[in-house]
Amino acid sequence: MTIADIARRSGLSPATVSKVLNGRPDVSARTRLVVQEALVGAGYRRRGSLEAPPLIDVVFNDFDSPWAIELVRGAAAAAQAEGLTVAFTALSEGDERRIWFDHITSRGTRGIMLLLSKLTERQRGELAARGLPFVVIDPTAEPGPEVSSVGATNWSGGLAATKHLVELGHRRIGVITGPPELLCSRARLDGYRSALETAGLAFDDDLVLSGDFRMKAGYDQAQVLFGRRRRPTAIFAGNDLSALGVLRAARDAGLRVPDDLSVVGFDDIPLAEWSTPSLTTVRQPLIEMAAVAVRILLDSSGSDESLGRRVELATDLVVRESTAPPG
Amino acid sequence: MTIADIARRSGLSPATVSKVLNGRPDVSARTRLVVQEALVGAGYRRRGSLEAPPLIDVVFNDFDSPWAIELVRGAAAAAQAEGLTVAFTALSEGDERRIWFDHITSRGTRGIMLLLSKLTERQRGELAARGLPFVVIDPTAEPGPEVSSVGATNWSGGLAATKHLVELGHRRIGVITGPPELLCSRARLDGYRSALETAGLAFDDDLVLSGDFRMKAGYDQAQVLFGRRRRPTAIFAGNDLSALGVLRAARDAGLRVPDDLSVVGFDDIPLAEWSTPSLTTVRQPLIEMAAVAVRILLDSSGSDESLGRRVELATDLVVRESTAPPG
DNA sequence: GGGTCTGGGCGAAACGTTTCGCTATAGTCG
DNA sequence: CGACTATAGCGAAACGTTTCGCCCAGACCC
């Protein structure tokens, strides 16, 4: 089954078929469609499958967070073990999505790993037609069943963090979530809610604020919480970065952590161990998550089954210095 | 001038010539040489020069520091503006250098950006033969004149940091340097020395310790300094990461920063602004440095001149909360 | 309406790359 | 020392990719 066969089937030249396969621009939409049908119909595969470029693409929104860094590092390590390199694309705010996508597909890749990002329906289709796998880490919305994704047990993590605070004796526990549209933010919040329920504590809307996973948000929202009539004695931050913002806000407000305020983060970035005070947090195995994602990409690279896989790795509460019984 | 011509000239097949051009392993050393001579003799160039893969490679030792991250981000941004992608390779400790090098060269790249790393003589030759440019950021040793490199004004930075402390009234100023083999570490230390001299202060060997740019080293060495007969009233850390280690050590030793101890870092990583207390530091324009490096790669990609460029961008003292007059 | 220009879309042919098998040489065993 | 095996090195041919020019449709001008 060669390119020439496809060309004959579809009444076009081998050159044109090649262009479609490589996402070249000088093919009309109609022709492209005809070729793609012929490709699928004939079950075409490149001959030596070794031609696939030894690249794995990691794409993320410009959040320059340690969280992303850890994932990239994990991906790089896993890729290197397979003789692959990680190429990475940071999407800045206003970026037209087409740009990076065209870029990656025209250059070729072994698979695409999306951090917190989403593909358009069109893009999904194009990838499927070319047999390029992709996997989402911490998907934004509930992804379809045919989309592979990797995450952590966010709900359990939120539960564990809150339970820890409750067991220390805290009754008023503030929350600063991540962006509400993210699945992981919502799961963590639900874990919090569930822990309160189990403990027989009321859920108070006034104590729940949303942030964006950055330090500044943690800082600002912590100040809001400090201004509440009855100040919470503990804060569960959506991630470590905002938890660090909370620590900072506490210091500026003259509150001692953990004596006057307990703080729990989420992620366990390397910094959490070195902040002052060191941060109690819910550890996500980011390195492993990236490794799993790479494995999914490589596995699904060969096979045609379009059934997605959903993997959730376990989280782990790491107790350090930022939590204590309320003063 | 095609591959076939070269083949005829050297009495070999086009296939073999192609293999040489692509660094394939199944060519004997002699044959490879013959072909390379023929290539040079005939002045061969690939036809469409557009085939150069749209990749820039960033290679660094596994230091997982925010410093490297900033540079990678800068490189990614600059590359994206040119329609290129950044591929990145983290060298772990025991890595055989050949591995990554063969990998990158066989896959192809537009240029290589080395962070704190070094190439062997052989590798330099191989890159030159293939016309692949490279640039070093913060070179380890004095690089030859034909090597391009980008850095910051480390000496001035060290000078400015120390001068700042001296002007605040500090007389005993400890230093925790980076790895001594790095040019930038030594330059910063010399700046420190020079500032002391200008101020008429004696240089005391007991106050100079070396670290490795990580938090733990900052922490450990700070404890050593605290144990000195006359404890220093200020510490100049080789980079922000070790400065954070110092902050932590100070807290564990019951010293208040900046009342009992002033701390200055180097780099101005994003975190410096958010640490508690926020860190006075010498800012390196990392993003710009990476952008300059990318520009050098692309500029020298076309031309044959093998003369290296050395660029040093200006550093800048950023005064925050971690420095004050000695108590 | 006819001429001219422009650009998108396609294919022929030139080109580079890869696979696969052949050959010669080195290494191994009895 | 001969037979057998393994391996490195190379080339023919199959294959995919790219360039370049042709064709044609639409826009524009006169």
Side-chain angles (χ1 to χ4, degrees):
Chain A
M1 185 54 50
T2 74
I3 256 191
D5 295 325
I6 304 295
R8 230 166 293 124
R9 256 173 179 265
S10 48
L12 293 160
S13 73
T16 304
V17 177
S18 169
K19 286 173 191 172
V20 171
L21 278 171
N22 294 288
R24 289 310 164 90
D26 63 335
V27 182
S28 70
R30 210 217 327 282
T31 306
R32 192 182 297 271
L33 218 62
V34 171
V35 173
Q36 278 173 343
E37 254 166 50
L39 283 171
V40 174
Y44 173 83
R45 351 203 62 153
R46 285 170 140 69
R47 64 173 173 174
S49 67
L50 288 174
E51 330 182 5
L55 284 179
I56 288 191
D57 276 276
V58 178
V59 178
F60 55 96
N61 297 315
D62 200 341
F63 273 32
D64 92 271
S65 69
W67 172 84
I69 301 310
E70 287 295 293
L71 286 170
V72 172
R73 285 181 61 212
Q80 234 151 6
E82 307 277 349
L84 302 172
T85 312
V86 164
F88 97 19
T89 305
L91 270 47
S92 18
E93 307 297 311
D95 261 1
E96 191 48 46
R97 324 213 107 201
R98 294 293 309 171
I99 298 177
W100 67 267
F101 187 81
D102 288 350
H103 187 190
I104 289 179
T105 51
S106 77
R107 139 166 74 68
T109 182
R110 200 68 159 270
I112 300 181
M113 191 164 140
L114 295 153
L115 308 192
L116 289 176
S117 305
K118 239 175 72 181
L119 286 173
T120 65
E121 205 50 49
R122 256 187 66 85
Q123 292 172 335
R124 289 240 312 265
E126 204 159 326
L127 289 182
R130 311 257 302 267
L132 291 178
F134 69 96
V135 54
V136 184
I137 295 202
D138 275 342
T140 48
E142 194 66 64
E146 74 275 26
V147 175
S148 292
S149 66
V150 175
T153 55
N154 290 300
W155 184 85
S156 309
L159 186 80
T162 313
K163 192 157 160 259
H164 169 62
L165 292 172
V166 168
E167 284 172 353
L168 284 172
H170 293 276
R171 291 295 171 264
R172 288 184 59 77
I173 303 173
V175 184
I176 299 170
T177 72
E181 66 272 20
L182 292 183
L183 214 53
C184 58
S185 300
R186 297 208 302 267
R188 289 171 200 175
L189 180 58
D190 284 345
Y192 160 83
R193 196 188 308 250
S194 189
L196 288 191
E197 234 166 65
T198 305
L201 296 172
F203 177 85
D204 182 350
D205 259 335
D206 273 4
L207 294 180
V208 178
L209 298 177
S210 65
D212 62 2
F213 280 160
R214 298 189 221 210
M215 284 192 186
K216 180 146 182 26
Y219 184 82
D220 293 343
Q221 299 292 54
Q223 289 187 322
V224 173
L225 286 175
F226 294 162
R228 291 278 187 253
R229 277 162 328 216
R230 292 171 54 219
R231 180 175 67 69
T233 60
I235 294 182
F236 171 35
N239 70 343
D240 284 352
L241 226 46
S242 30
L244 293 176
V246 173
L247 288 186
R248 183 63 204 258
R251 180 167 168 278
D252 288 358
L255 296 173
R256 287 163 306 159
V257 176
D259 312 275
D260 303 326
L261 180 78
S262 286
V263 179
V264 181
F266 206 109
D267 281 350
D268 196 21
I269 58 180
L271 208 70
E273 193 182 342
W274 286 96
S275 69
T276 44
S278 63
L279 200 61
T280 294
T281 190
V282 178
R283 178 176 141 71
Q284 290 196 70
L286 295 172
I287 304 279
E288 289 84 346
M289 281 163 64
V292 168
V294 168
R295 179 115 311 282
I296 288 179
L297 287 182
L298 296 183
D299 284 355
S300 61
S301 184
S303 72
D304 277 339
E305 36 105 356
S306 64
L307 204 63
R309 288 204 256 156
R310 165 76 191 163
V311 178
E312 286 199 348
L313 300 189
T315 51
D316 216 5
L317 182 71
V318 181
V319 179
R320 297 209 182 87
E321 302 167 356
S322 66
T323 48
Chain B
M1 184 57 48
T2 74
I3 257 191
D5 295 325
I6 304 295
R8 230 167 292 125
R9 256 172 179 265
S10 48
L12 292 160
S13 74
T16 305
V17 177
S18 169
K19 287 173 190 172
V20 171
L21 278 171
N22 294 288
R24 289 309 163 90
D26 63 336
V27 183
S28 71
R30 205 208 343 274
T31 305
R32 191 183 299 270
L33 218 63
V34 171
V35 173
Q36 276 172 342
E37 255 166 49
L39 284 170
V40 174
Y44 174 83
R45 346 204 67 150
R46 286 171 140 68
R47 62 178 173 172
S49 68
L50 288 176
E51 327 183 9
L55 283 179
I56 288 190
D57 276 275
V58 178
V59 177
F60 55 97
N61 298 314
D62 200 339
F63 273 32
D64 93 88
S65 68
W67 172 84
I69 300 310
E70 286 296 293
L71 286 170
V72 172
R73 284 182 61 212
Q80 235 151 6
E82 307 278 349
L84 302 172
T85 311
V86 165
F88 96 24
T89 306
L91 271 46
S92 19
E93 307 296 311
D95 261 1
E96 191 48 45
R97 322 213 110 200
R98 295 291 312 169
I99 298 176
W100 68 265
F101 188 80
D102 288 350
H103 186 186
I104 289 178
T105 52
S106 79
R107 139 166 76 65
T109 181
R110 199 67 160 268
I112 301 182
M113 191 166 140
L114 294 153
L115 309 191
L116 289 176
S117 304
K118 239 174 73 180
L119 287 173
T120 65
E121 206 49 51
R122 255 187 67 86
Q123 292 172 335
R124 289 241 310 268
E126 204 160 324
L127 289 181
R130 312 259 300 270
L132 292 178
F134 68 96
V135 54
V136 184
I137 295 201
D138 275 342
T140 48
E142 195 64 65
E146 74 275 27
V147 174
S148 292
S149 66
V150 175
T153 55
N154 289 300
W155 185 84
S156 309
L159 186 79
T162 313
K163 191 155 160 262
H164 169 62
L165 292 172
V166 167
E167 284 172 354
L168 285 173
H170 293 277
R171 292 295 171 264
R172 289 183 59 74
I173 302 173
V175 184
I176 299 170
T177 73
E181 66 272 18
L182 290 183
L183 214 54
C184 58
S185 299
R186 297 208 302 268
R188 289 171 201 175
L189 180 59
D190 284 346
Y192 160 84
R193 197 189 308 250
S194 189
L196 287 191
E197 235 166 62
T198 305
L201 296 172
F203 177 84
D204 182 349
D205 258 335
D206 273 4
L207 293 180
V208 178
L209 298 178
S210 66
D212 62 1
F213 280 159
R214 297 188 222 213
M215 285 190 184
K216 180 147 181 31
Y219 184 83
D220 293 344
Q221 299 293 53
Q223 289 187 321
V224 173
L225 285 175
F226 295 162
R228 292 276 188 254
R229 280 164 326 220
R230 292 172 53 220
R231 179 174 69 68
T233 59
I235 293 182
F236 172 33
N239 71 341
D240 284 351
L241 226 45
S242 32
L244 293 176
V246 173
L247 288 186
R248 182 62 203 257
R251 180 167 168 277
D252 287 359
L255 297 172
R256 286 164 309 159
V257 176
D259 312 274
D260 303 327
L261 181 78
S262 285
V263 179
V264 180
F266 207 110
D267 282 350
D268 196 21
I269 58 179
L271 208 69
E273 195 181 341
W274 285 95
S275 69
T276 44
S278 62
L279 199 60
T280 294
T281 190
V282 178
R283 178 176 141 70
Q284 290 196 70
L286 296 171
I287 303 278
E288 290 84 345
M289 283 163 63
V292 168
V294 168
R295 179 113 314 279
I296 288 179
L297 286 182
L298 296 183
D299 285 355
S300 60
S301 183
S303 72
D304 279 339
E305 36 104 357
S306 65
L307 203 63
R309 287 205 256 156
R310 165 76 190 162
V311 178
E312 285 199 348
L313 300 188
T315 52
D316 216 3
L317 182 71
V318 181
V319 179
R320 298 209 182 87
E321 302 167 357
S322 66
T323 48

